[in-house]
């Protein structure tokens, strides 16, 4: 975990928009590192709770942008990012030339390239900076950032990236590659979750105890991080959404859209996407992505799963 340490930029403010599972931890990591952290969230109570611990709550992205030259956006998708910047009370109206917008959502890489150009026309710097690692690593400052942007944008960040992440990958001098690498990561994550669910479902159908199967697989060559992590949720019958089914409906959709543009075949991604689509349509859209196992017929899931 990052430790409290002096920061030569402690006289500067930084803004974080979006205090969900990842954004809340990222804001806390920045505060530990010595920044004066301004926050904004559609849930005013979330911003106020962070302010009570030493941050500064702002009522809108525009209010936040008036006080911060570096803004970190940690919202769900491109549409929410557009709203954060250009909607009512959006940040763009108050972003001065030379300020920096760090975009951490999983988006279409082409959209990220276009956003860089749109902000550049206003004199605003941009970092394409999707994130990975989950809420726990975000809270400890140990997540991964997949970034791309101009040297000027990195210079303006002034160590903020390293305060939030243990691994900061610099993947190019213009936007796009950060988002490309992130959606490839999501390809693997989604396929692994779908495969893990299929394997566990087959074991249950064949009468193998879920606990026994989990123990054997997690100590065998067929294991994956996603099997070990997500099938633990299935064993517990707990589908509280750490990452929801609909996240992979979106993210695998982005993967397929990107590949479709160059007619590149992705048969495993397409199958996994259909599985998450089926789970979403069946009513599990907002459950943990491990709930994709619920699409398989004729199995009895561990207690607590039904109707979770």
């Amino acid at each position: 975990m990052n430790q409290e340490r002096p920061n030569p930029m402690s006289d500067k403010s930084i803004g974080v928009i979006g205090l969900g599972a990842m954004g809340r931890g990222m804001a806390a990591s920045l505060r530990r590192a010595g920044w004066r952290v301004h926050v904004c969230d559609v849930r005013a109570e979330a911003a106020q709770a962070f302010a009570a611990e030493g941050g500064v709550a702002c009522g809108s992205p525009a209010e936040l942008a008036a006080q911060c030259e570096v803004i970190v956006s940690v919202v769900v998708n491109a549409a929410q990012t557009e709203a954060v910047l250009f909607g009512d009370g959006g940040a763009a109206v108050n972003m001065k030339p030379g300020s920096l917008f760090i975009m951490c959502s999983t988006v279409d890489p082409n959209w990220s390239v276009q956003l860089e150009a749109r902000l550049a026309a206003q004199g605003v710097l941009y970092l394409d900076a999707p994130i990975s690692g989950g809420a726990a690593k975000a809270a400890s400052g140990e997540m991964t950032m997949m970034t791309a942007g101009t040297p000027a944008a990195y210079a303006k960040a002034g160590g903020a990236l390293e305060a939030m992440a243990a691994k900061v990958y610099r993947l190019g001098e213009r936007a796009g590659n950060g988002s490309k690498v992130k959606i490839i990561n999501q390809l693997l994550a989604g396929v692994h979750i779908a495969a893990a669910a299929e394997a566990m479902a087959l074991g249950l159908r064949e009468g193998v105890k879920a606990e026994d199967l989990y123990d054997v697989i997690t100590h065998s060559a067929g294991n994956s991080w996603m099997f070990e992590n997500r099938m633990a949720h299935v064993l517990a019958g707990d589908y509280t959404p750490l990452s929801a089914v609909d996240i992979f409906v979106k993210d695998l959709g982005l993967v397929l859209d990107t590949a479709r543009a160059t007619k590149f075949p992705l048969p495993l991604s397409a199958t996994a996407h259909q599985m998450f689509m089926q789970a979403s349509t069946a009513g599990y859209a907002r459950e943990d992505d491990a709930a994709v196992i619920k699409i398989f017929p004729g199995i009895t899931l561990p207690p607590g799963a039904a109707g979770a």
Side-chain angles (χ1 to χ4, degrees):
M1 180 177 291
N2 287 7
Q3 301 296 315
E4 296 276 0
R5 60 187 184 274
N7 175 25
M9 295 193 56
S10 59
D11 60 326
K12 291 196 174 183
S13 293
I14 191 166
V16 177
I17 301 174
L19 295 176
M22 299 292 282
R24 180 66 169 75
M26 293 162 68
S29 294
L30 287 164
R31 188 178 59 209
R32 283 196 309 274
W35 269 263
R36 181 169 173 79
V37 184
H38 294 66
V39 296
C40 179
D41 193 273
V42 291
R43 300 161 299 140
E45 65 275 15
Q48 292 296 336
F50 185 83
E53 298 173 8
V56 179
C58 298
S60 69
E63 180 185 334
L64 181 145
Q67 302 175 69
C68 304
E69 293 186 4
V70 178
I71 296 174
V72 183
S73 174
V74 202
V75 295
V76 172
N77 54 28
Q80 289 188 9
T81 306
E82 289 264 2
V84 158
L85 279 166
F86 307 113
D88 291 341
V93 68
N94 282 335
M95 294 191 76
K96 302 175 183 65
S99 57
L100 171 66
F101 187 78
I102 302 173
M103 193 286 304
C104 297
S105 305
T106 302
V107 301
D108 182 328
N110 292 320
W111 178 89
S112 187
V113 170
Q114 293 164 8
L115 181 59
E116 180 181 50
R118 188 174 180 182
L119 290 174
Q122 189 178 322
V124 173
L125 300 167
Y126 175 75
L127 275 177
D128 178 26
I131 53 180
S132 183
K137 288 190 175 182
S140 64
E142 296 176 329
M143 65 178 190
T144 297
M145 298 188 82
M146 295 152 255
T147 70
T150 64
Y154 285 110
K156 184 67 177 181
L161 306 181
E162 290 75 16
M164 294 183 286
K167 293 283 188 181
V168 178
Y169 291 98
R170 298 190 178 199
L171 302 167
E173 294 191 356
R174 58 168 294 180
N177 277 1
S179 288
K180 288 177 183 178
V181 172
K182 176 59 191 292
I183 65 169
I184 292 168
N185 179 77
Q186 295 306 91
L187 180 163
L188 288 166
V191 168
H192 286 173
I193 293 167
E198 182 171 283
M200 179 62 76
L202 177 61
L204 293 171
R205 178 71 172 185
E206 293 298 319
V208 179
K209 290 182 180 179
E211 296 83 358
D212 290 344
L213 181 61
Y214 181 84
D215 191 36
V216 171
I217 296 300
T218 56
H219 292 88
S220 301
N223 191 35
S224 68
W225 190 91
M226 283 300 189
F227 183 96
E228 190 163 343
N229 183 272
R230 296 312 204 265
M231 292 307 100
H233 301 175
V234 173
L235 262 62
D238 184 0
Y239 297 93
T240 303
L242 300 179
S243 174
V245 163
D246 265 2
I247 293 294
F248 278 99
V249 172
K250 172 183 77 77
D251 289 358
L252 287 172
L254 291 173
V255 169
L256 294 169
D257 288 345
T258 299
R260 189 177 297 114
T262 56
K263 297 183 180 179
F264 192 81
L266 295 176
L268 296 179
S269 300
T271 299
H273 187 239
Q274 287 296 307
M275 291 170 66
F276 284 105
M277 289 274 283
Q278 185 177 347
S280 180
T281 303
Y284 311 126
R286 296 186 179 182
E287 293 188 20
D288 187 81
D289 50 38
V292 71
I293 196 172
K294 295 183 181 183
I295 69 172
F296 291 96
I299 60 172
T300 300
L301 291 168

